[in-house]
Amino acid sequence: IPDTDVECDKRRMKRIEAKDPVALCEEGVKQYVKADCSIAFEYFTRAAELGDAEAHNLLSLMYHYGHGVEKDKGKEVHHLQEAAIGGH
């Protein structure tokens, strides 16, 4: 278990390079919290493309509220369905 935030970040970035969908989604959340919605959207999209149900759920919320993207009911519903299919 990493002892510092720096070590956590290094490990997460290594997982992101390996295209780990959970790490991509985690980085998306981190960017979203920092209010960088466009970068968060990119990470969530990459994670969703790899089948991450949580990323699909978060994308649906971004489309619902229009955070970093234009509101889009169709895309919101699509990502909600994908999240449900993935067990979310």
Side-chain angles (χ1 to χ4, degrees), residues 51-57 78-88:
D52 188 85
E54 178 65 13
H56 278 292
N57 183 61
H78 165 76
H79 286 291
L80 278 174
Q81 290 173 335
E82 291 296 321
I85 290 167
H88 193 277

Side-chain angles (χ1 to χ4, degrees), residues 21-72:
V22 174
L24 289 161
C25 191
E26 288 173 357
E27 185 64 23
V29 170
K30 187 174 180 178
Q31 296 303 320
Y32 189 86
V33 168
K34 292 182 352 185
D36 196 340
C37 291
S38 62
I39 298 297
F41 179 80
E42 291 177 25
Y43 279 107
F44 293 151
T45 299
R46 289 172 56 197
E49 289 170 350
L50 293 168
D52 188 85
E54 178 65 13
H56 278 292
N57 183 61
L58 294 168
L59 284 168
S60 76
L61 292 172
M62 291 184 81
Y63 281 114
H64 177 78
Y65 293 108
H67 292 173
V69 296
E70 284 189 41
K71 288 184 178 186
D72 187 319

Side-chain angles (χ1 to χ4, degrees), residues 19 47 76 82:
K19 297 181 181 171
E76 173 191 350
E82 291 296 321

